[in-house]
Amino acid sequence: MHRRLPKGLILIVLCCFSMLASQAQIPSAAPQQPPAPQQVTPDPLGRETPLGTVFGFIKAAQEENYQLAVRYFQATSRRKPRQEDEKLAHQLNMILNLRFGPFLNHISKDPAGRFDDGLPADKEKVGEINIGETKFTLLLVRVSDKEAGKIWLISSETLAGVPDFYDLLGFPRLEAKLPRWLVDYRPLSMPVWQWIAIALLAPFAFGLAWFFVLLARLCHRLVMRWRKKPIEGARSLSAVGPITLLAALYLHYRFVNLLGASLLYRQYYKLIVSAMLAFGLYWVIARLTDFIVARIERGLAGRGEGSAHSLLVLGSRAFDALAFIAIALLVLRSWGVDVTTALAGIGIGGIALGLGAQKTFENLFGGVSVISDNVLRVGDICKVGNQVGRVEDIGLRSTQIRTLDRTLVSIPNGTTATANLENYSKRDKILFKQIVGLRRETSADQLRYVLAEVRRLLYEHSKVESATARVRLVHFADASLNIEVFAYVCTTEAEQFLATQEDLLLRILDIVEKSGTQLAIAAQTVYLTRDKGLNPEKTSAAEAVVNRWRENG
């Protein structure tokens, strides 16, 4: 064993050296570099997205550049002559112009297309139309191009159905019957007969809409007369209103679609029509708001709550502003504009406006608070802070008060809402409170007579609330004996209260005179008398009583 062990170690060492030598002879593998990305140039025809493919084909076909238009077609296994492909492009363009609406804004702008249409990722359904039982589907496919990479093309399946569907259209046969100059002369790539038809259809659609609205107004008036009810807010039968505008726009839009005008031009035409429709819709909302506000104001005026006019005006204007913003956002969204940024801008602008116009909003919401709480009405006599007068107007910013000096004071509504407000016109009765001061020489019996007679006066007076009336001797003053006369006069009119108060004061003066005393005079009286000093008998008696209290502990 001792002899074999060194030999085994030697063999192991030799094997290790041989492995190292063999490894050194293997060339080192260089690290693998990632393949360089293939440079894909943008497609000059804009076929990277479904929208770019459809838009590019329509633009090329509208300009009658059918050689360019066929480059948006998917290649088929059977090679067609160039004239046949160009004819197919013309027919497909006519189908899109006659039967498809201006849908370009709704086509996907994403190079990957839409994934919610239930189709494979390499297919995109743009639209579908029917004539009778015949169905035509505009389908796009995504293919690989050597130069532009992934692009979208009009599928061969769609192209196969173009000739049969084209034969079902009516306007190609109509163009065959028109003079050639109306068809061949194409200003801005659209036949002149279509331009003339669009221009003539505008007054025709307006007249037709005006006639229908006139018939509706006549029927409404006949029904109201038959029911013997007044017609509120009646206007002239021939007046043009928002309903006439909306009906005319709808009719003209339908006529233009039937003409088979260029789909690209109808896309721009749709933008104009949508703006005018938005204007007409806002006009309708404004008319309805004015009608509702007028009816509410008549109801409030019948209940004597006409001061809510300012609040109704504020509410109607705020609603009109919100309706305008909402309609504008809807129109922008239909034009393909991202309204999220606009909404964020409105929010930031609102915050900035609120910070910069705090006092204005304070007065505005103060006016809303004053009107909604109904603490003041026009014509009320009130006291706001140190201002007393009659309310002449309650606006959205300030309240106008005519003072007793006949000056007009404007108090901000923010101050009115937070100030101590005293409304004299909302009193259910008026307080009559007087302090009657009698001379200090008045005897106790004279006081008892005056108290009893004044109480009888209040209890028997027809304008005085006897349940709460009171007459009490309340104070020995320096120069008078004070009697408090407290009573409520049952009236809310200032003139009646003043007349009743005058009658009560005169009768109290008669009672004082009958008692033999007089009202106290705010003056000091000096009496010159021979004072006999203290009474010695009463003094001795009082001292004797106190001494007995001490003896008894």
Side-chain angles (χ1 to χ4, degrees):
M1 292 293 295
H2 293 285
R3 292 178 180 178
R4 294 178 181 177
L5 183 59
K7 292 182 179 180
L9 291 174
I10 293 172
L11 290 174
I12 293 172
V13 172
L14 291 175
C15 290
C16 291
F17 276 107
S18 63
M19 291 175 63
L20 291 173
S22 63
Q23 186 177 2
Q25 294 175 1
I26 300 174
S28 60
Q32 294 183 356
Q33 298 293 334
Q38 185 180 1
Q39 298 293 332
V40 178
T41 59
D43 183 25
L45 302 182
R47 295 172 295 182
E48 295 96 344
T49 64
L51 176 62
T53 297
V54 177
F55 186 83
F57 169 77
I58 294 174
K59 186 176 180 181
Q62 174 187 319
E63 296 173 356
E64 297 186 352
N65 190 355
Y66 297 115
Q67 186 176 0
L68 176 62
V70 298
R71 297 184 63 183
Y72 293 89
F73 291 169
Q74 181 186 14
T76 58
S77 58
R78 185 177 65 86
R79 186 69 179 176
K80 295 182 179 181
R82 182 172 61 85
Q83 293 80 4
E84 187 175 347
D85 285 340
E86 293 180 359
K87 180 180 179 182
L88 197 64
H90 170 72
Q91 293 176 349
L92 179 58
N93 182 50
M94 291 297 296
I95 292 174
L96 296 180
N97 289 339
L98 288 171
R99 291 295 176 176
F100 274 74
F103 57 89
L104 297 183
N105 286 336
H106 303 288
I107 303 177
S108 176
K109 302 176 183 178
D110 189 352
R114 298 175 56 184
F115 298 98
D116 57 351
D117 52 4
L119 295 175
D122 60 344
K123 291 187 178 181
E124 182 83 4
K125 181 179 178 181
V126 175
E128 186 176 85
I129 56 175
N130 298 315
I131 297 181
E133 298 181 355
T134 305
K135 180 184 297 184
F136 180 81
T137 303
L138 180 58
L139 190 67
L140 305 181
V141 294
R142 196 179 190 192
V143 299
S144 297
D145 186 78
K146 296 180 180 180
E147 298 179 356
K150 294 288 187 178
I151 60 174
W152 291 91
L153 298 174
I154 300 174
S155 68
S156 58
E157 179 182 350
T158 297
L159 298 175
V162 168
D164 294 336
F165 199 84
Y166 178 78
D167 293 337
L168 300 176
L169 302 179
F171 273 103
R173 293 190 294 270
L174 175 63
E175 287 188 346
K177 299 178 182 180
L178 294 175
R180 295 313 305 168
W181 68 272
L182 291 177
V183 179
D184 296 337
Y185 182 53
R186 304 171 65 89
L188 297 178
S189 302
M190 193 167 73
V192 69
W193 75 269
Q194 291 184 351
W195 289 110
I196 296 174
I198 292 174
L200 294 178
L201 283 175
F204 176 74
F206 181 82
L208 192 60
W210 176 83
F211 177 73
F212 287 145
V213 173
L214 177 64
L215 288 180
R217 288 176 179 171
L218 285 174
C219 294
H220 176 258
R221 293 197 177 188
L222 291 175
V223 171
M224 296 302 290
R225 288 178 182 176
W226 177 68
R227 299 176 63 182
K228 297 181 180 180
K229 289 186 177 182
I231 303 175
E232 298 181 1
R235 293 181 172 86
S236 174
L237 289 175
S238 60
V240 177
I243 304 299
T244 306
L245 175 63
L246 292 176
L249 288 173
Y250 174 77
L251 292 174
H252 192 265
Y253 179 78
R254 299 299 299 177
F255 291 153
V256 170
N257 284 341
L258 293 176
L259 281 178
S262 171
L263 183 60
L264 187 60
Y265 283 163
R266 276 191 289 148
Q267 180 72 14
Y268 304 137
Y269 171 75
K270 178 190 173 183
L271 301 181
I272 300 174
V273 171
S274 60
M276 297 183 68
L277 283 174
F279 172 75
L281 181 60
Y282 176 74
W283 194 358
V284 170
I285 293 175
R287 282 276 183 91
L288 288 176
T289 304
D290 294 341
F291 176 74
I292 294 173
V293 168
R295 295 203 63 175
I296 295 175
E297 280 187 343
R298 284 195 294 270
L300 293 176
R303 297 195 299 266
E305 299 178 1
S307 60
H309 171 75
S310 300
L311 183 60
L312 290 173
V313 171
L314 173 64
S316 63
R317 290 178 180 176
F319 181 78
D320 290 344
L322 291 176
F324 178 81
I325 294 174
I327 292 173
L329 292 177
L330 289 176
V331 171
L332 291 176
R333 185 178 180 182
S334 68
W335 289 356
V337 179
D338 185 9
V339 298
T340 306
T341 306
L343 291 175
I346 291 174
I348 296 174
I351 294 174
L353 181 62
L355 292 176
Q358 288 182 346
K359 282 295 182 182
T360 301
F361 282 107
E362 178 185 354
N363 293 330
L364 179 63
F365 289 111
V368 173
S369 175
V370 170
I371 295 172
S372 60
D373 292 344
N374 201 21
V375 294
L376 285 180
R377 295 180 183 177
V378 175
D380 287 353
I381 305 295
C382 67
K383 180 179 181 181
V384 181
N386 58 352
Q387 298 292 337
V388 180
R390 184 184 298 274
V391 179
E392 289 204 348
D393 182 51
I394 302 176
L396 297 178
R397 193 198 69 84
S398 63
T399 299
Q400 309 274 335
I401 294 180
R402 180 75 65 179
T403 65
L404 300 178
D405 294 331
R406 306 306 299 162
T407 59
L408 191 63
V409 177
S410 179
I411 303 176
N413 287 330
T415 304
T416 305
T418 57
N420 293 328
L421 193 150
E422 191 173 357
N423 193 336
Y424 299 123
S425 298
K426 291 198 173 184
R427 296 179 294 191
D428 55 350
K429 49 193 174 183
I430 302 178
L431 176 63
F432 172 78
K433 183 179 180 180
Q434 296 289 333
I435 300 296
V436 181
L438 302 181
R439 294 172 64 100
R440 287 301 300 266
E441 303 91 83
T442 304
S443 65
D445 289 340
Q446 287 176 319
L447 281 172
R448 293 186 182 96
Y449 176 82
V450 172
L451 292 172
E453 290 299 320
V454 173
R455 288 182 185 128
R456 180 184 299 175
L457 169 64
L458 297 181
Y459 295 157
E460 295 178 354
H461 201 285
S462 60
K463 291 293 185 179
V464 175
E465 186 180 71
S466 59
T468 57
R470 66 173 183 265
V471 180
R472 296 294 180 183
L473 177 64
V474 294
H475 190 226
F476 290 139
D478 294 337
S480 62
L481 303 175
N482 292 336
I483 298 175
E484 181 191 44
V485 181
F486 183 95
Y488 285 106
V489 178
C490 299
T491 183
T492 57
E493 299 293 334
E495 293 297 330
Q496 293 183 7
F497 169 75
L498 292 176
T500 303
Q501 178 179 252
E502 179 182 283
D503 180 51
L504 292 174
L505 292 176
L506 291 175
R507 293 191 184 189
I508 291 173
L509 186 60
D510 292 339
I511 291 173
V512 172
E513 290 181 358
K514 288 181 181 180
S515 67
T517 185
Q518 295 179 354
L519 298 179
I521 301 175
Q524 292 183 352
T525 303
V526 179
Y527 296 94
L528 301 176
T529 61
R530 294 181 179 181
D531 192 359
K532 297 180 180 180
L534 299 178
N535 190 326
E537 296 180 357
K538 292 183 179 180
T539 302
S540 299
E543 291 176 352
V545 172
V546 174
N547 288 331
R548 285 197 299 272
W549 290 349
R550 290 193 182 99
E551 291 174 357
N552 294 332

